[in-house]
Amino acid sequence: MTQTPTPTANPWRFIEVQREGAVEWLTLARPEHFNSLNLGLTEELYHYFGSLPDRTDVRVVVLRGAGRHFCAGYDLDDVDQLTVSLDQGLRLQRQLSSVVLRMRRCPQPIVGLLHGAACGGGFALALGCDVRYAAPNTRMNVAMAKVGLTGCDMGISYFLPRAVGPAVAAELMYTGRFVKAERALRIGLVNDVVAEEQLTETAQELVQEMLAMSPAGLRLTKDGLALAQETSNLATVMALEDRGQTMCFAAFMPEGVAAFREKRAPNYGAGQ
């Protein structure tokens, strides 16, 4: 039976955070504006993801959007804030891009649940997730290419060619062309396409499998996977893998092996 994440006191204005055990469900909460990124939402995402490296109580984050859309991009009503001066524009742009950087640097896997529009900055947030599930009505594009900007923004030029290859990335980044859910699945942009009402259950099933890993094992796997994508040196990657495995030997492997042999769920305790 699918469980609904437990509501908690929400100190935020533009996001909602619900707790379900060691999982936090982060919801973009500007549905009347299609969850577009204004200054306030950007700042809250910046601080939320920046807090995660110090939080061993949170092991996985699920990111989703309230209302009809995941995130329709940057709020065009805030564009004037970007054009006041070069210094202010650069400061705000770097905060936007740092949201995605903090998503990738936090040790918790992030599962993105996409529906409706995931455009521009919303597309970048989706690409910043480790796993992406999409509803059939999902449509994504590099929207900044349509409003006088480059198609290189918020890590898109890094993540997109790694997800779909350079030729498809070029097609999307040079045109701002939309990708719908069916093609997104075909080209490897999303992990699966499921009915919108099943997104939560699909994420919960995956999250439970992630939580079956040891606490340090899960965190170090995200860390190692990210670093392996940033270097082409096999020896460096293997050295990082050796470090992670060695750190888990005494702390978690005895219990993991015992649970496997006894055909039960492992109990790794609170060790991180």
Side-chain angles (χ1 to χ4, degrees):
M1 180 180 296
T2 301
Q3 296 180 343
T4 302
T6 304
T8 57
N10 187 51
W12 312 95
R13 181 180 177 188
F14 299 109
I15 63 175
E16 294 177 358
V17 180
Q18 294 174 295
R19 190 66 180 269
E20 186 182 60
V23 183
E24 285 195 339
W25 295 71
L26 171 62
T27 305
L28 308 179
R30 298 187 72 224
E32 69 281 6
H33 299 285
F34 302 156
N35 300 317
S36 56
L37 294 163
N38 66 350
L39 299 182
L41 175 54
T42 300
E43 184 172 4
E44 290 188 2
L45 290 172
Y46 177 85
H47 288 298
Y48 174 80
F49 286 112
S51 74
L52 289 177
D54 296 325
R55 298 189 58 198
T56 55
D57 60 311
V58 180
R59 296 188 59 199
V60 182
V61 174
V62 182
L63 176 63
R64 58 188 177 178
R68 294 170 53 197
H69 300 281
F70 173 71
C71 176
Y74 195 79
D75 191 335
L76 298 183
D77 289 338
D78 270 15
V79 165
D80 289 348
Q81 297 293 324
L82 300 174
T83 60
V84 169
S85 68
L86 179 61
D87 286 345
Q88 177 163 312
L90 181 58
R91 177 176 60 82
L92 296 177
Q93 173 64 29
R94 283 185 170 166
Q95 186 173 58
L96 271 170
S97 60
S98 291
V99 170
V100 177
L101 195 59
R102 289 180 172 209
M103 290 172 69
R104 302 313 309 143
R105 286 178 173 173
C106 74
Q108 295 86 352
I110 302 170
V111 180
L113 304 184
L114 313 180
H115 73 289
C119 302
F123 189 29
L125 292 180
L127 288 170
C129 296
D130 297 275
V131 175
R132 293 174 286 277
Y133 292 123
N137 66 352
T138 302
R139 59 187 188 276
M140 296 168 272
N141 80 324
V142 185
M144 46 285 287
K146 296 282 195 180
V147 293
L149 301 176
T150 80
C152 303
D153 195 13
M154 295 178 66
I156 288 175
S157 62
Y158 181 88
F159 293 112
L160 189 56
R162 284 168 168 77
V164 301
V168 175
E171 171 199 338
L172 302 179
M173 294 173 67
Y174 296 169
T175 65
R177 176 179 290 181
F178 279 97
V179 177
K180 296 183 179 180
E182 182 180 351
R183 186 185 182 200
L185 178 61
R186 190 169 68 249
I187 63 178
L189 192 52
V190 299
N191 293 72
D192 203 356
V193 176
V194 299
E196 186 172 344
E197 62 271 18
Q198 294 177 347
L199 284 173
T200 296
E201 181 179 358
T202 301
Q204 286 174 323
E205 291 175 357
L206 177 70
V207 165
Q208 290 308 307
E209 293 185 49
M210 290 180 175
L211 294 179
M213 289 189 68
S214 68
L218 183 60
R219 295 163 75 96
L220 288 170
T221 299
K222 174 168 178 175
D223 185 39
L225 181 59
L227 291 171
Q229 293 177 80
E230 294 175 9
T231 179
S232 59
N233 188 295
L234 177 60
T236 299
V237 171
M238 286 185 166
L240 291 168
E241 292 177 338
D242 293 344
R243 179 201 64 175
Q245 297 295 52
T246 304
M247 291 174 66
C248 292
F249 281 160
F252 300 111
M253 193 174 182
E255 168 61 15
V257 171
F260 178 80
R261 287 175 170 167
E262 296 166 17
K263 297 181 172 56
R264 60 172 174 82
N267 179 13
Y268 294 115
Q272 302 298 324

